Amino acid sequence: MSAAALNEANGPGEAQYLGDDPGPVNEHNAHDGGLESKATLHAAPLGVSDFDTGLDAESGNGPVEPADESNAEELPVPRRNIDDLRFPPPHLADIRWRLFEVREPIELKIDEFERYWPYTDNVWVRQHRAGTDRSGRVTTDYYACRLQRPTYTPRKADTTRPDGKPLRKKQTREGGTCQMRIKTVRTEGACPKYSITKVGDHEHTHDLDHMDRIKRNTVVMEIARAEVMKGFMPASVFTIMSEDEEKLAAAGGRYLNRNDVRNASQAWRRTHGDQLAVHPGYKYDHGNGIVRDEEAASALPPPLPPPLTDPTNTSMLDPALAPTPILPAPAPIPALAPNTLDFPASSRPFLTPYLPPPTPPSPLILPHVTLSYATSLDSFLAIAPRTRTALSGPASKALTHYLRTRHDAILIGVGTALADDPALNARLPSAGGYGGLGWDGQPRPIVIDPSARWVLTPQSAILAAVAAGRAKAPWVIIAPGCSIAPARLDLLKHYGGKYLGLPDLDRGYRLSWEAVFRALAAEGVRSVMVEGGGVVVNELLQPEYARFVASVVVTVAPTYLGTGGVVVCPTRNVDLLGRPRPVVRFKDVRWEQVGEDVVMCGKVGAVDVEGEGVGAPDGEALGEGAEAAAAATTARFTT
C-alpha cells in the first residue's frame, strides 16, 4: 500500500502519518493540575509472538521485518490487548457504574480491584496517600473526581517542545465543577481486599458518559497501543476496536477516535511507523478507509478466549493479568463453583413482603431482624444437643441461602457454632466467591459467644471460606469483662474479623438483645438474619424480645425427630393475674411448599409486654437520646 493510500486510510487529520508525527491532539497528555492521573499498573511482559503479525506493511501478505531498536525509546510493555475488549470481565458496564457512583461501600478482592479499577481511572485521580498504619497491613488513598481540578487554558508557551518534537495542539480543559471524593483502603491478611467508600456528602455533577467523552481510560488506550505495537496501523486498530460498539462502550470507549489510537502509540511509531499494516481479514477501500474483507475474513479462525491460568477459578479471572498462560487450553471447567446452590427467580416473589426494606434504615434505627430456622414436625431443631441435624431439603436449603444474600448479617449462638462448624456464607451464583463481585451478597457472620468458648483455627470452616474469598470474617459478641488470649485476637483480626464487647448485661445478667441490635446498628448493620440455635430462637420468641423481630421464615421438614432433641418452645407467657396466654402469634402469614418442605412466612404482630406498651417490630427507633444510646452500646473493639 502506498504512503498516499495509507494517509487516506488514516482519515482526516492524519495526512502526515508515515513521516512527521503531529503528536497528540487532545487532552490525554495535558497537564493534570498536579494530581496523579494513572493507577499504578504492574506490567506483565508480552511474548515475542504478540508482536509477530505475519504481515508485510506494503502487501499485507509477508512477514514484517524487525525494526532497528538500538535508538528507540524504552517503552512500557502494554499489559492489555484486543482480547480484553473481545472478552471483557463479567458485568463490566455495571461495575464501572458502581465504581463511579460509590453509593454504598464496595469491597473488592485485590485481583478484582486491579482488573476493574483501570476502567475508571478517567474518573478518579489520586489526591494523596494517607499512608500505612503501624501494623503495615492497611494502606489508605484518597481520590477526587477529575473535574475537581482547576480549569486549564493552554498558553502559547505550552506549545514549545524540545528536540524537534511536533507541536502539541492542547485544548481548554474543563474543571472545578465536581467535588466528589472517595477513599480506598487496602487491607492485607488472609484474604487481602480493597474497601472503597465515599468521602463527604458531595455527589457527581455529571454522569459517567460525560467522563468517557472527555477522557479515555487506561485500558482502552493500552489496548490501542498494544495493537499498534503488534505492527498494525492506527486506522486498522480503530476499525477493529469499533466493531463491537456495545463492548467498546462498556469498557469506556464510546467516544474513541483514530486520534486517540495515534496518541496512545505515537512514541512507538517514531521508530516503527514505516512497518505498519492492516489486520488480517481487512483491507483498504478507497474512500471508505479500512473495511472488513469478508472473503479473507471467512478463511480466518474465530478469535478464542485466552487460556486460563487457574483452572479452579473462572468467575473473575482476567487474561491480561495472567503471568504464565497454560498452553494448550485446559479442559472444560464447570461454570459454577463447587457446592453452588440455585434458587430460581421465579420462586422468590412470595418472600418479598418478608424481606428487609429496599431503603435501609438510618444508623439510629434498629436493624430489620428476620428469624429463620428449619424445624421438624414436632418442632425440633436437632435430634440431640450438640448434634448437627440436616432438616432442610435441597430446595429449601437454597431458599435459606437466598435469604442470606438479602441480609447484611447472619446471627447464630455459640452452641450452633460449636456443634455445626458452619461456614455462614451464601452459595448462590450471585454471591461473592461464587460468581459475584467481591463479597456481594455475603452476610457478615455474627456469633453470640458471651464467654468466648468458640475457639477458631485456620481449619475452621468459616475461616477457610474467608481465605477462599467466599465468606466475610465473623464478628464475635462477648460479655463485658471477657478476657481473650492475644493469639486468638490476632488470628481473627488477620482474617478480617473482630471481637465485640457489649458494655452491660440485662437484668437477668444475660446479654441484652436490645444492646446487641443497637451495637450492630451502630456498626452499620441494617438487617440481620437470625438462624439459631435453640437458645437464641426461644429467647427472641419471648414477648420481651419478640418486638425486635420483624418477620419469620420457618421451614417445616416432613419428619419427626422424637423427644430428647433441641426444641423450639418459648417459656410460657402469663398475664398480670397469672393466667397463661400465647407467647406470640404471627400475622400476614403465608404457607408455601418448597420441594418436599413447607415454608411459613409471617410478620410479628404487636406484643403487649405485661402492660408496658406495644412493641414496634419493624424498624424501631432508638428513641430519646438516640445518639447517646448508640454510642453507649457501640461495641468496644478488642485489639
Side-chain angles (χ1 to χ4, degrees):
M1 185 181 295
S2 67
L6 285 173
N7 288 337
E8 182 178 347
N10 283 326
E14 304 186 12
Q16 300 182 15
Y17 173 73
L18 287 178
D20 187 19
D21 182 2
V25 296
N26 60 22
E27 64 127 21
H28 295 298
N29 294 317
H31 173 64
D32 265 332
L35 301 180
E36 298 181 38
S37 61
K38 303 275 181 160
T40 302
L41 300 177
H42 306 284
L46 298 177
V48 176
S49 61
D50 292 322
F51 298 96
D52 181 11
T53 64
L55 296 176
D56 177 71
E58 193 69 30
S59 66
N61 296 320
V64 176
E65 294 297 329
D68 180 8
E69 300 185 4
S70 58
N71 297 322
E73 300 180 33
E74 184 175 347
L75 301 174
V77 177
R79 65 195 291 267
R80 308 278 180 171
N81 55 54
I82 195 65
D83 285 338
D84 290 277
L85 194 59
R86 290 171 173 162
F87 309 102
H91 315 296
L92 177 57
D94 291 339
I95 294 172
R96 286 193 74 229
W97 185 255
R98 288 181 59 185
L99 292 175
F100 169 78
E101 287 191 311
V102 196
R103 290 192 179 274
E104 295 183 347
I106 302 171
E107 288 187 334
L108 301 176
K109 302 177 180 69
I110 298 297
D111 64 318
E112 294 172 346
F113 181 87
E114 293 178 345
R115 178 177 309 122
Y116 287 102
W117 184 256
Y119 286 96
T120 59
D121 62 6
N122 61 324
V123 177
W124 300 112
V125 181
R126 191 168 70 183
Q127 286 186 307
H128 68 278
R129 170 163 288 180
T132 305
D133 70 349
R134 293 181 179 179
S135 69
R137 297 175 58 250
V138 181
T139 303
T140 304
D141 289 315
Y142 287 88
Y143 288 81
C145 176
R146 184 174 296 276
L147 296 187
Q148 187 185 67
R149 65 194 178 182
T151 298
Y152 171 75
T153 303
R155 301 183 299 273
K156 186 175 181 180
D158 290 338
T159 60
T160 303
R161 301 192 69 193
D163 303 328
K165 293 183 178 180
L167 298 182
R168 286 182 172 178
K169 300 178 183 179
K170 288 190 175 182
Q171 301 175 352
T172 299
R173 183 192 63 202
E174 68 173 296
T177 61
C178 184
Q179 300 301 317
M180 184 164 173
R181 298 172 65 235
I182 61 172
K183 175 177 69 174
T184 66
V185 179
R186 175 167 176 156
T187 305
E188 303 296 340
C191 189
K193 67 179 181 179
Y194 273 94
S195 300
I196 306 169
T197 55
K198 183 180 174 183
V199 177
D201 298 326
H202 290 288
E203 301 283 350
H204 283 298
T205 58
H206 51 86
D207 58 16
L208 180 57
D209 186 73
H210 178 72
M211 297 305 300
D212 289 342
R213 182 184 295 110
I214 66 174
K215 180 76 174 178
R216 314 295 176 259
N217 63 55
T218 294
V219 177
V220 171
M221 297 298 278
E222 277 204 332
I223 292 172
R225 180 160 60 94
E227 285 302 294
V228 173
M229 290 177 68
K230 291 179 182 179
F232 299 121
M233 53 191 293
S236 182
V237 172
F238 174 72
T239 300
I240 289 288
M241 294 182 66
S242 303
E243 277 192 324
D244 193 326
E245 295 181 356
E246 183 176 349
K247 289 183 178 179
L248 184 61
R254 183 189 302 275
Y255 301 99
L256 182 75
N257 56 55
R258 280 191 295 265
N259 283 328
D260 293 328
V261 180
R262 301 188 67 244
N263 290 342
S265 61
Q266 63 170 330
W268 186 84
R269 287 186 291 110
R270 289 194 187 102
T271 54
H272 302 80
D274 57 345
Q275 304 176 43
L276 306 183
V278 178
H279 281 80
Y282 292 80
K283 64 181 179 180
Y284 168 69
D285 182 35
H286 182 73
N288 295 314
I290 306 299
V291 297
R292 185 176 180 86
D293 184 345
E294 297 297 340
E295 182 177 352
S298 63
L300 297 174
L304 298 175
L308 300 172
T309 58
D310 180 6
T312 65
N313 179 14
T314 64
S315 60
M316 305 297 291
L317 188 62
D318 183 2
L321 299 177
T324 309
I326 299 175
L327 295 176
I333 300 168
L336 299 178
N339 301 321
T340 302
L341 304 173
D342 180 36
F343 187 61
S346 58
S347 301
R348 302 174 184 179
F350 80 94
L351 291 168
T352 302
Y354 311 97
L355 296 175
T359 302
S362 75
L364 298 182
I365 301 295
L366 294 181
H368 175 107
V369 176
T370 301
L371 187 60
S372 178
Y373 57 91
T375 178
S376 64
L377 289 171
D378 45 357
S379 198
F380 282 93
L381 300 176
I383 198 166
R386 297 177 295 279
T387 301
R388 186 169 188 172
T389 306
L391 291 173
S392 300
S396 58
K397 184 175 183 180
L399 178 149
T400 298
H401 281 255
Y402 168 69
L403 289 177
R404 291 179 178 182
T405 67
R406 299 297 301 270
H407 290 78
D408 290 348
I410 174 176
L411 185 149
I412 63 170
V414 63
T416 301
L418 292 172
D420 294 353
D421 186 27
L424 297 179
N425 62 352
R427 302 205 305 268
L428 295 190
S430 61
Y434 292 86
L437 181 70
W439 287 266
D440 283 356
Q442 290 294 355
R444 172 72 62 184
I446 310 291
V447 177
I448 306 297
D449 187 10
S451 303
R453 293 191 291 140
W454 189 35
V455 179
L456 289 164
T457 70
Q459 289 71 42
S460 299
I462 191 167
L463 295 189
V466 171
R470 293 177 176 174
K472 289 184 177 179
W475 295 350
V476 183
I477 295 181
I478 57 178
C482 181
S483 178
I484 309 292
R488 293 176 62 183
L489 294 175
D490 293 342
L491 176 67
L492 189 55
K493 187 175 181 179
H494 176 69
Y495 281 85
K498 56 189 176 186
Y499 287 91
L500 305 176
L502 295 182
D504 52 25
L505 301 173
D506 66 7
R507 289 174 294 182
Y509 298 98
R510 301 169 303 174
L511 288 185
S512 166
W513 282 106
E514 183 173 0
V516 169
F517 293 136
R518 289 183 190 276
L520 294 179
E523 290 290 326
V525 175
R526 298 162 301 186
S527 58
V528 181
M529 179 179 174
V530 179
E531 287 199 13
V535 173
V536 170
V537 171
N538 286 320
E539 281 195 2
L540 285 175
L541 288 176
Q542 294 291 341
E544 180 183 1
Y545 294 121
R547 61 194 179 95
F548 298 120
V549 178
S551 57
V552 294
V553 180
V554 180
T555 299
V556 181
T559 183
Y560 285 96
L561 295 183
T563 59
V566 178
V567 67
V568 176
C569 186
T571 303
R572 172 175 290 188
N573 183 32
V574 296
D575 61 17
L576 295 176
L577 299 177
R579 294 172 300 191
R581 59 185 299 175
V583 176
V584 63
R585 183 177 179 86
F586 304 121
K587 64 177 183 178
D588 299 334
V589 173
R590 174 163 181 171
W591 296 83
E592 189 82 13
Q593 182 169 348
V594 179
E596 294 185 347
D597 304 326
V598 175
V599 175
M600 187 208 73
C601 302
K603 297 182 179 180
V604 178
V607 179
D608 185 358
V609 186
E610 298 184 349
E612 296 181 1
V614 177
D618 195 354
E620 177 183 290
L622 299 190
E624 294 183 6
E627 295 183 6
T633 56
T634 299
R636 300 190 304 272
F637 296 159
T638 309
T639 57

